[in-house]
Amino acid sequence: MSELETRLAELGVKLPDVAAPAANYVPFVQVGDIVYISGQISQNADGLILGKLGQDMDTEAGAAAARTCAIGLLAAVKAACGGDLDRLVRVVKLTGFVNSTGDFTEQPKVINGASDFLVEALGDKGRHSRSAVSAGALPLGVAVEIEGIFQIK
């Protein structure tokens, strides 16, 4: 088990298998030492995490949903690294989309669920630049979708 996976296990996190794409795209693209991970939707072992922030979901629940997206991102990074997560150099950037009402303004607090988790799990490797934006709807009605850019060796 890699050093990073040992840390994840200490946090009670087991990386899921990377889901097959549902349309005409790939889970990741590598260009040099940079890996672009396709958007990961909020889901856990129980299924999709659905909801609209500001309507039927609060900020805390949204942050928990964003955390599941970060776990999905790491699973895709592991796949991009041929199964060796220790090849991860750092998280470069996240772009988070929050399914929210027009008057909901706490998108950054929602995406903190992913950012905080990555720093907790990866330390300084997890610090990244970021955008957090509102979306009137997301695929399948999920609460959060996050895409990421990562540097690997």
Side-chain angles (χ1 to χ4, degrees):
M1 185 179 291
S2 76
E3 181 181 322
L4 290 178
E5 285 185 282
T6 299
R7 174 66 182 139
L8 291 171
E10 290 169 0
L11 296 172
V13 174
K14 182 180 184 311
L15 295 179
D17 293 331
V18 177
N24 190 17
Y25 65 92
V26 293
F28 61 86
V29 171
Q30 182 176 346
V31 178
D33 65 346
I34 301 297
V35 176
Y36 299 83
I37 305 294
S38 295
Q40 301 295 304
I41 58 175
S42 53
Q43 60 185 335
N44 57 28
D46 297 326
L48 298 175
I49 301 172
L50 308 174
K52 185 175 279 285
L53 280 289
Q55 179 177 301
D56 54 13
M57 187 176 234
D58 64 19
T59 302
E60 185 176 320
R67 183 180 187 274
T68 71
C69 295
I71 292 168
L73 288 168
L74 289 181
V77 170
K78 180 180 175 182
C81 290
D84 182 5
L85 195 55
D86 284 342
R87 288 182 55 203
L88 175 62
V89 173
R90 72 167 301 135
V91 182
V92 176
K93 180 163 195 236
L94 299 182
T95 303
F97 303 92
V98 179
N99 184 356
S100 55
T101 60
D103 60 347
F104 183 81
T105 60
E106 296 188 345
Q107 290 82 6
K109 290 181 181 178
V110 170
I111 302 303
N112 281 348
S115 296
D116 293 347
F117 168 74
L118 289 170
V119 172
E120 180 182 17
L122 307 174
D124 284 339
K125 290 181 180 185
R127 297 195 185 283
H128 53 273
S129 64
R130 185 183 87 178
S131 298
V133 298
S134 177
L138 288 174
L140 307 173
V142 296
V144 180
E145 180 174 354
I146 302 175
E147 64 183 23
I149 302 171
F150 299 80
Q151 182 182 18
I152 63 171
K153 55 184 170 186

